[in-house]
C-alpha cells in the first residue's frame, strides 16, 4: 500500500509564496500522477491540478493558473506545490493525492492522500 | 463545471441501522462506451484526509468493508452503509471523475443517533 507524507503547517503573510512537499512511498512514484486538492474552511474540496511524476508534465486548474507551480524530484519520490501571491482566501488544508488510474488526466479518482498541510495566510 | 449536490447535509442513524446518502450531478457522468458512471465516494474522519471508498459508482476500493455499497447511474447516485458502525461517523463526499475539472459534493455529515 502506498503512503504520502506532507510537509508541516505554514503561516504566511499576504503576497508571499508557500511550497508544500509530498513524499511518496510504497509504490513506483514515476508511474502515477500526483494531484493537488485543497479544502478551505467551510468549503468543498477543490481540485488544483496535477503533475505526471514520470515526465514532469503538468496541468493546472484555470482558477490557479499563473499562481501555482507543480514540480517533482524523482530521486526523492517527492512532489511539490508552490503557490504564490497568497491571499487570505488561500487559507486551507492542501492535500496531495494519487490519481488512481495511472493515466495522466484531470478527471480521476484519488486513492492515496497525504495527511494534509494547513496553510494559513494572515497579516 | 459539473456541480455535485449531496443530500441530506447531515444524517443521524442508530448503530446497526442503514444509512443512505444521495448525490446528484448537474449532468450525466456516464461513459456510453463502457457503460460506467465516473462517480467516486470518499469518507473523511476528523483531522484525517479523505479516504476513497468507491469509484465507478459501485466498485469498492480494496480494503473497504462490504457494508459500504454504491449504486446509481447517469446523474443520481447513492452510498449505502448497510449496518452503521461507530467508526463510520464521518463526512462523506461524492466526486465526479468524468470530466475536467473533477468536482466534489458539499459533504454529508453522518452521526450516531
Amino acid at each position: 500500500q502506498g503512503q504520502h507524507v506532507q510537509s508541516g503547517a505554514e503561516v504566511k503573510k499576504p503576497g508571499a509564496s508557500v511550497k508544500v512537499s509530498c513524499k511518496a512511498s510504497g509504490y513506483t512514484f514515476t508511474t502515477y500522477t500526483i494531484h493537488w486538492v485543497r479544502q478551505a474552511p467551510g468549503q468543498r474540496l477543490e481540485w488544483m491540478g496535477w503533475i505526471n511524476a514520470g515526465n514532469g508534465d503538468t496541468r493546472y486548474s484555470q482558477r490557479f493558473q499563473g499562481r501555482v507551480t507543480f514540480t517533482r524530484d524523482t530521486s526523492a519520490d517527492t512532489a511539490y506545490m508552490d503557490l504564490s501571491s497568497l491571499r487570505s482566501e488561500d487559507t486551507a488544508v492542501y492535500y496531495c493525492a494519487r490519481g488512481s488510474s495511472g493515466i495522466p488526466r484531470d478527471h480521476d479518482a484519488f486513492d492515496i492522500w497525504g495527511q494534509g498541510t494547513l496553510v494559513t495566510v494572515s497579516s | 463545471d459539473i456541480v455535485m449536490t449531496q443530500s441530506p447535509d447531515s444524517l443521524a442513524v442508530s448503530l446497526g441501522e442503514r444509512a443512505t446518502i444521495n448525490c446528484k450531478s448537474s449532468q450525466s457522468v456516464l461513459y456510453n462506451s463502457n457503460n460506467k458512471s465516473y462517480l467516486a465516494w470518499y469518507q473523511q474522519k476528523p483531522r484525517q484526509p479523505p479516504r476513497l471508498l468507491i469509484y465507478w459508482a459501485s466498485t469498492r476500493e480494496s480494503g473497504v468493508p462490504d457494508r459500504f455499497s454504491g449504486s446509481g447511474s447517469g446523474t443520481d447516485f447513492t452510498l449505502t452503509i448497510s449496518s452503521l458502525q461507530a467508526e463510520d461517523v464521518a463526512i462523506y463526499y461524492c466526486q465526479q471523475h468524468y470530466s475536467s475539472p473533477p468536482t466534489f459534493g458539499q459533504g454529508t455529515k453522518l452521526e450516531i443517533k
Side-chain angles (χ1 to χ4, degrees):
Chain A
Q1 306 292 57
Q3 184 180 357
H4 290 163
V5 177
Q6 298 183 222
S7 49
E10 302 265 11
V11 179
K12 296 291 183 181
K13 292 197 182 304
S17 296
V18 68
K19 190 168 188 172
V20 178
S21 68
C22 169
K23 181 168 177 58
S25 62
Y27 70 93
T28 304
F29 178 66
T30 51
T31 60
Y32 284 91
T33 299
I34 303 298
H35 296 249
W36 291 87
V37 178
R38 78 176 187 180
Q39 189 171 35
Q43 303 295 313
R44 58 185 71 193
L45 293 153
E46 180 176 28
W47 177 79
M48 299 178 68
W50 54 259
I51 182 165
N52 181 331
N55 64 12
D57 283 351
T58 54
R59 169 92 163 153
Y60 302 115
S61 165
Q62 283 189 327
R63 262 181 54 84
F64 300 97
Q65 190 85 38
R67 274 208 309 141
V68 71
T69 304
F70 303 143
T71 56
R72 94 282 189 232
D73 178 353
T74 56
S75 68
D77 289 348
T78 300
Y80 301 91
M81 187 276 298
D82 204 315
L83 186 62
S84 63
S85 303
L86 290 168
R87 35 209 190 228
S88 58
E89 310 88 88
D90 293 318
T91 294
V93 176
Y94 290 78
Y95 294 103
C96 60
R98 190 180 80 168
S100 63
S101 70
I103 298 170
R105 66 185 186 193
D106 300 354
H107 47 101
D108 212 341
F110 310 121
D111 61 352
I112 298 172
W113 294 67
Q115 82 276 18
T117 297
L118 174 62
V119 175
T120 303
V121 184
S122 173
S123 55
Chain B
D1 298 3
I2 297 178
V3 178
M4 308 301 292
T5 304
Q6 294 180 226
S7 62
D9 288 334
S10 64
L11 179 65
V13 174
S14 301
L15 289 172
E17 296 298 304
R18 177 185 301 260
T20 301
I21 298 170
N22 301 300
C23 175
K24 189 174 184 68
S25 56
S26 62
Q27 62 191 76
S28 176
V29 298
L30 173 67
Y31 264 120
N32 292 322
S33 58
N34 60 11
N35 202 36
K36 290 184 186 294
S37 287
Y38 282 57
L39 189 284
W41 288 99
Y42 298 85
Q43 174 194 64
Q44 187 176 30
K45 297 181 180 180
R47 295 170 297 282
Q48 292 187 21
R51 173 195 180 192
L52 178 64
L53 297 176
I54 286 167
Y55 57 97
W56 291 336
S58 60
T59 300
R60 206 178 296 116
E61 175 74 343
S62 174
V64 173
D66 60 8
R67 65 179 180 274
F68 291 91
S69 64
S71 62
S73 179
T75 61
D76 292 278
F77 302 92
T78 299
L79 174 70
T80 301
I81 307 172
S82 60
S83 176
L84 189 70
Q85 306 299 303
E87 61 264 32
D88 300 334
V89 169
I91 299 175
Y92 292 83
Y93 295 94
C94 60
Q95 177 229 336
Q96 62 84 12
H97 52 111
Y98 173 84
S99 69
S100 181
T103 47
F104 293 82
Q106 81 276 19
T108 294
K109 187 174 186 179
L110 177 59
E111 299 172 313
I112 305 294
K113 186 186 290 183

